[in-house]
Every structure is written in structure tokens, then in C-alpha cells.
Amino acid sequence: MLIVGELINTSRRKVEAAVRDRDADFIGELAERQVAAGADYVDVNCGTLVGEEVEALPWLVKTVQARVDVPLCIDSANPEAIEAALRVHRGQAMVNSITAEGDRFESFLPLLQEHGASVIALCMDDQGIPETSEQRFEVALRLVEDLRAAGLKPEQIYIDPLIRPISTGSQFGVTALETIQRVKQHLNGVHTICGLSNISFGLPKRRVLNMTFLALCLSAGLDAAIMDPTETVNMAILRAAEALLGRDEYCRNYLEAYRQGKLSI
Ligand code: THG
């Protein structure tokens, strides 16, 4: 399971202040803590800084990569900000995200081709986010066909079913899980990813829902998660679920996590 650390996001007030002040220590430390906790990628998102992303996003990339040696998940809807960030990124970045919306697809595609980046593809198009898993899979299929026709390999593509809170629709958990299953079953080599914490929005004891949903997603075949790796409960559930689902040979990662004291819940 690939872990994308989500904490460097200006929707969090302290992060927004740090990015505005160009506080490299604060951002660097947040990156280090996530990588030490097990993040394989670090997400960088400054979407709340409207009109400033084109300068702020490449600053984030340089600041994070000065402190940690992992590739970044470059999280923006703005193609100019993505381009500026890709220009300064070292290694193979993950672009977060393309969609099947006509304008968004057209503007992001050449950036992926030029930089050889991986990409998260959201199950939405010009009609919005489809209601059912059948319809979300149809969008995923179209995205994969179009990305492959443009030269991307299946392994470079991460389909995100899009998680909507179960407080706003009781079937939204099932819809996401079914979409993950369909992609894994029908699209050979294509990866799945999702942001976990949205599932519990508007409900109490969110960690209970988040960790249970993480286990269910793993069972459905999820390959990667955008999450808070410093949340020890999630990491413990993750290692346990991997071991139980035969995704951890000789329970090696589970035992290693135990030795490092990382299985406390
Ligand atoms: N899919 C993809 N990208 C994504 C998401 C997704 N990027 C953004 C988001 N969803 C995942 N990232 C975050 C980052 C921070 C928080 C949640 C998700 C967070 N939230 C606080 C909370 O939930 O309590 C609220 C913010 C605060 O601290 O005030 O921290 O789904 N491809």
C-alpha cells in the first residue's frame, strides 16, 4: 500500500499561515514527520491561496524536497501551478489530479506527457460526480482509455472513485468500495487511490469511521491512500489489514511495525 501524506494542505490554518510566510522550517518539519511515519509520497496543496498558487506551489515543492527524499503528489486544479511545480520537482511526481472534464483533461495531459509524471484521475466529468459505481466506473474507463491513447502506462494511472461523506448519502461508502473493486477487476495494471477522511465528514468520532473504512478499502483492493500517516491508529489498522489480506509476505511489515512500536491503537 502506497501512503500519500496529506498534512501539507493550506485548508489547514497553520499550514496556510506557514506558506504565506514562506516558513520553510514549519513545512520541512511537517514533511519529515510524515515520511518518518511511513509516507511514500508527500502531498502539497495550496489551493486556498487563490491567485498565488503559481508561485507558492513550486516553493512548496522545493522546500519539501530540500528536507525529504520522496516524490511529491502535486495537488492543484490549476494547470499553470502544476506546470511550475513540475519544473522544479526532482524524480517522478504524481499529479493530483486530472478529471474527465473536457478543459481540465486537455490542459493537464501535455504536462503529464512532458514530465513523465504519474497521475490521479478523478471519477468525474462535465456532468459532475456520477451517483452510482457503474457510472463512476464508466468515467474511469474513459479516462484510462484516453490516457493510454496519449501514451501513459496503466501503472502511471491512479483512479480515485471520489469519497463523499456517508452523512450526506448512506450509500456513498458502498459506491466508492464498488468502484475500487470494478477498477481492480477490469483495468489491468491500473492503480486505485482515495482520500480517506472525507467519508466521516459531519459525524462524531471520525477516527472510528476512518480506520474502519481504510480496512474495507484495502479489502476492496485499494492500492494507495491519501491520509495522515502520523495518525497511529490508521497505520496500525493498515499494517494489520495488509497482513490479513495476504498483502504482506511473512507478515514482514506487520512485524517491523511492531518492533518500531507502531502498532498501538
Ligand atoms: N482525493 C484526491 N486528492 C485530495 C483528496 C481526495 N486532496 C485533498 C483531500 N482530498 C485530502 N487531503 C486532506 C488534507 C487535510 C485534511 C483532510 C484531507 C484535514 N482535514 C481536517 C479534518 O478533516 O478534520 C480539517 C482541516 C483542518 O485541520 O481544519 O486536515 O479525496 N485525489
Side-chain angles (χ1 to χ4, degrees), residues 195-232:
L196 292 170
S197 58
N198 233 13
I199 198 71
S200 60
F201 184 81
L203 289 168
K205 296 283 182 193
R206 294 184 62 180
R207 281 197 297 186
V208 176
L209 291 164
N210 291 349
M211 75 179 190
T212 305
F213 189 59
L214 172 60
L216 293 171
C217 283
L218 272 151
S219 182
L222 190 71
D223 299 297
I226 305 170
M227 59 188 267
D228 176 0
T230 69
E231 189 82 78
T232 52

Side-chain angles (χ1 to χ4, degrees), residues 6-9 11-13 43 45 73 75 96-97 120 122 160 162-163 193-198 200-201 206 210 226-227:
E6 71 182 10
L7 294 179
I8 303 182
N9 189 315
S11 70
R12 304 175 69 231
R13 276 190 34 227
D43 191 90
N45 180 320
C73 184
D75 192 351
N96 186 8
S97 50
I120 298 177
L122 309 183
D160 185 335
L162 282 174
I163 307 302
I193 190 167
C194 63
L196 292 170
S197 58
N198 233 13
S200 60
F201 184 81
R206 294 184 62 180
N210 291 349
I226 305 170
M227 59 188 267

Side-chain angles (χ1 to χ4, degrees), residues 17 19 42 47-48 54 57 68 71 87 94 104 111 116 131 145 147 174-175 188-189 207 213 224 232 255-256 260:
V19 176
V42 172
T48 63
V54 179
L57 200 56
V68 294
R87 247 191 235 125
M94 190 185 291
R104 174 96 161 240
L111 303 174
E131 201 63 26
E145 280 173 356
L147 289 168
V174 181
T175 303
N188 234 333
R207 281 197 297 186
F213 189 59
T232 52
L255 290 168
E256 178 61 19
Q260 294 179 2

